[in-house]
Amino acid sequence: MTEKAIRDSFPDAVVETTDVFGIPNIKITPASLLAVCEMLHANPEMAFDYLADITAIDWQDRIEVVYQLTNLAKNVKVALRVDLDRETPELDSVTSVWKGANYQEREVFDLMGVVFKGHPDLRRILLPEDWEGYPLRKDYVIPD
Amino acid sequence: MSSRIRTDLIEINMGPQHPSTHGVLRLGVTLDGEVVVECQPDVGYLHRGIEKLAEMRTWIQFIPITDRLDYLASMLGNAAYVGAIEKLGQIEVPERAEYIRIIMMELQRVASHLVFFGTMALDLGATTPFLYSFREREDVLDLFEMVCGARLTYNYFRPGGVSRDLPAGFYAEAKAYIKKQREKLPEYDDLFTNNQIFIARTRNVGIISAEDAVNYSLSGPSLRGSGVSYDVRTADPYSIYDKFDWQVITYPVGDVMSRFMVRTMEIRQSLNIVEQALDAIPEGELKCKTPPRFKVPAGEVYHHIESARGDLGVYLVSDGGEKPYRMKWRAPSFINLGALNSMVKGWKVADVVAILGSLDVVLGEVDR
């Protein structure tokens, strides 16, 4: 149902949908992310008001960012997935939709090096400001 | 006389060494006189890189590290982690083990909320309630010590069950504890909850609306204190919580007092669950058989539970090997702390301590 709503509004956005233990995981194009999130939040039929989690996975040929969304009133869940180029991982920030994205995007930036465009305060959060590299990348060399 | 007094904004540091920060947390607070204009938490002092460490350890070797995230509720860290493995590996847990887990998880929630009660009082300048609640928490730690030998870092849950059985005498000790704790709770209220100073410091202070609380992804008692009835135990049921008679506690106002009340009432609910579980626990296996070289099938899963601080999530990616390919922890303390700036703006500097205390963050979990 969520996938259909996205397809109706953004015919070219959906890449594929998989089922991960009962939660539809919808892969969409990076360019459509912010518009899809705005629709999923604002559309009264969808009303995904709760951003549970943002994480990123380094698949070595790409970086994948995963958003876990929940509609609290209806208790419906969905995950959005976006594939990014590993050399220049850039994505629109969703802080304008969910304020809770602020810290979570900073964490993904800090540890995985994904740049969130339009983030109000994109700084490292867990590591020191002068830290070099992104530790959760698979090719990160652990300093002695 | 001029009606305008020129004032400069001043910046002060609260922490990183400050008792009311409950750990190593620095708040960069900008003040206009006594009023907070801006409050930027600076975290990461305890960052140990556990998500990277996980990629270098076997699935089983990582269980003790889950004790060291939210170190006031280690059993719940254990539970979130093995729950994710069991979901991904489709591992069945014997019924007796599920009951033991429920008893441990809910006793842990009580112990954690007792720490909250004591430290909240301490933050507001009342030292005696801390001694009361830590006295009773000691009994819970004694129960844990009986079961697994440890008082803080338990390493007790295993994929498919728990590491050892409840010892002889546990049932009677646990029952005696529940009785005692129920008798003591009204004493806490007489001493502290109904205290005029406490009420003045917390009622209508640091209000966050339900809409904002959801938008900031708050969870746990901090969300339910704004009247949002969201508890992972009922919203996304795991383990055997559906077998017990209990209620999700919410308070409508969204102030420090509401968040405080949610936790103190949850202690009572958790005691009810433990009591029912103790009475209904069946005999049987403690752990299903797992191979010595434990592997998890390739795939990924997002599993979450209701920890003492909120929605504790674990995201696992396995390539089918002996070690995780990627592990991410959705730490409720970290995300709850993200709302602090908006909650303290416009309040006095003394209220910062009350509002931060009401979020009940644990820095081990914030920094990971």
Side-chain angles (χ1 to χ4, degrees):
Chain A
M1 189 180 113
T2 313
E3 188 196 342
K4 187 176 176 302
I6 298 174
R7 283 188 191 280
D8 287 350
S9 304
F10 308 98
D12 303 324
V14 179
V15 180
E16 61 170 349
T17 301
T18 49
D19 179 276
V20 180
F21 294 95
I23 300 171
N25 275 235
I26 305 172
K27 178 162 287 183
I28 59 175
T29 57
S32 67
L33 176 81
L34 182 58
V36 168
C37 287
E38 282 169 352
M39 186 279 287
L40 290 178
H41 185 258
N43 181 337
E45 294 284 302
M46 298 288 114
F48 284 100
D49 48 1
Y50 193 75
L51 172 69
D53 183 51
I54 304 178
T55 191
I57 303 152
D58 182 4
W59 293 107
Q60 299 182 58
D61 57 340
R62 65 199 153 90
I63 286 178
E64 189 175 31
V65 184
V66 187
Y67 297 77
Q68 306 283 345
L69 309 180
T70 308
N71 172 332
L72 290 185
K74 291 186 191 159
N75 200 11
V76 177
K77 292 184 173 55
V78 70
L80 297 179
R81 312 178 73 101
V82 179
D83 275 342
L84 299 176
D85 174 41
R86 207 167 170 284
E87 301 307 313
T88 52
E90 279 194 345
L91 198 55
D92 286 323
S93 168
V94 297
T95 44
S96 58
V97 185
W98 299 283
K99 297 192 191 99
N102 187 324
Y103 268 37
Q104 302 201 49
E105 288 181 347
R106 278 179 70 185
E107 185 189 333
V108 173
F109 166 73
D110 190 2
L111 303 177
M112 198 61 100
V114 177
V115 175
F116 292 92
K117 291 179 288 183
H119 189 288
D121 185 25
L122 195 65
R123 291 178 291 127
R124 285 194 183 270
I125 187 162
L126 294 173
L127 296 173
E129 282 166 31
D130 56 354
W131 195 268
E132 284 177 18
Y134 303 105
L136 289 181
R137 295 238 188 141
K138 286 289 174 184
D139 55 3
Y140 180 78
V141 180
I142 296 169
D144 286 331
Chain B
M1 197 178 92
S2 166
S3 61
R4 290 172 65 89
I5 302 171
R6 197 185 69 87
T7 56
D8 288 329
L9 297 182
I10 54 167
E11 281 185 36
I12 60 162
N13 282 319
M14 291 179 73
Q17 274 80 34
H18 190 289
S20 65
T21 54
H22 303 218
V24 209
L25 166 69
R26 186 178 72 87
L27 300 177
V29 188
T30 309
L31 295 176
D32 180 4
E34 221 185 319
V35 177
V36 177
V37 180
E38 182 80 14
C39 170
Q40 286 294 343
D42 179 13
V43 302
Y45 291 91
L46 294 178
H47 184 61
R48 294 148 289 173
I50 61 100
E51 290 173 10
K52 192 70 177 176
L53 288 176
E55 295 172 11
M56 301 165 207
R57 275 162 179 72
T58 66
W59 296 98
I60 303 299
Q61 280 176 333
F62 189 76
I63 299 173
I65 298 182
T66 66
D67 290 327
R68 287 153 177 83
L69 297 167
D70 178 354
Y71 44 73
L72 294 179
S74 304
M75 287 286 186
L76 295 159
N78 280 197
Y81 176 61
V82 300
I85 291 179
E86 284 158 5
K87 204 181 218 178
L88 190 52
Q90 292 174 326
I91 299 168
E92 291 275 333
V93 181
E95 202 180 9
R96 181 172 176 83
E98 287 282 23
Y99 273 87
I100 294 175
R101 285 181 177 189
I102 290 278
I103 293 167
M104 294 305 140
M105 289 192 286
E106 293 308 313
L107 283 174
Q108 182 73 86
R109 196 182 312 279
V110 172
S112 175
H113 286 353
L114 287 174
V115 173
F116 163 78
F117 178 88
T119 53
M120 183 83 220
L122 211 54
D123 287 348
L124 298 176
T127 45
T128 312
F130 179 81
L131 302 173
Y132 279 47
S133 71
F134 269 59
R135 180 186 60 197
E136 268 74 66
R137 173 172 176 262
E138 206 61 16
D139 293 347
V140 184
L141 300 188
D142 287 343
L143 289 171
F144 288 151
E145 193 176 4
M146 279 177 84
V147 172
C148 63
R151 297 170 69 79
L152 269 180
T153 50
Y154 310 109
N155 186 21
Y156 182 57
F157 287 39
R158 295 287 180 277
V162 293
S163 69
R164 62 185 88 177
D165 202 356
L166 300 178
F170 180 86
Y171 178 88
E173 292 276 341
K175 280 277 186 176
Y177 163 70
I178 292 171
K179 183 165 178 292
K180 180 178 167 195
Q181 182 68 63
R182 283 188 176 140
E183 284 167 6
K184 297 292 181 189
L185 285 170
E187 273 184 28
Y188 293 11
D189 293 341
D190 289 344
L191 179 71
F192 187 60
T193 314
N194 300 329
N195 181 298
Q196 287 301 318
I197 301 170
F198 170 66
I199 292 170
R201 290 289 308 273
T202 58
R203 182 169 283 170
N204 295 325
V205 171
I207 295 179
I208 184 164
S209 68
E211 197 186 331
D212 278 348
V214 169
N215 201 256
Y216 270 106
S217 304
L218 283 190
S219 58
S222 302
L223 177 64
R224 293 191 286 277
S226 290
V228 181
S229 177
Y230 177 66
D231 186 314
V232 182
R233 288 174 286 177
T234 53
D236 205 356
Y238 56 95
S239 194
I240 50 167
Y241 278 103
D242 51 348
K243 292 193 177 177
F244 305 106
D245 183 21
W246 63 283
Q247 289 172 332
V248 176
I249 304 290
T250 61
Y251 274 76
V253 186
D255 55 0
V256 173
M257 178 60 113
S258 289
R259 292 186 281 278
F260 174 88
M261 288 306 295
V262 169
R263 293 195 183 88
T264 52
M265 297 311 283
E266 279 187 0
I267 292 175
R268 292 159 170 86
Q269 294 298 326
S270 292
L271 292 175
N272 290 345
I273 297 174
V274 176
E275 187 173 48
Q276 293 171 52
L278 282 169
D279 287 335
I281 187 167
E283 292 297 323
E285 293 287 314
L286 290 170
K287 184 174 171 298
C288 74
K289 290 266 183 295
T290 48
R293 288 174 74 87
F294 183 76
K295 290 178 183 172
V296 174
E300 50 190 283
V301 68
Y302 178 71
H303 178 71
H304 61 160
I305 69 163
E306 185 72 23
S307 88
R309 297 186 164 69
D311 185 350
L312 176 64
V314 181
Y315 196 98
L316 291 183
V317 182
S318 170
D319 57 5
E322 290 178 33
K323 299 172 182 175
Y325 181 81
R326 170 88 171 92
M327 183 190 301
K328 148 86 195 215
W329 284 75
R330 186 246 191 243
S333 293
F334 176 74
I335 294 169
N336 289 357
L337 197 58
L340 182 69
N341 187 20
S342 73
M343 292 167 81
V344 300
K345 269 183 194 170
W347 292 94
K348 299 258 166 56
V349 67
D351 296 322
V352 173
V353 172
I355 296 167
L356 173 65
S358 76
L359 286 175
D360 191 25
V361 297
V362 165
L363 273 300
E365 182 182 76
V366 172
D367 294 343
R368 282 159 288 154

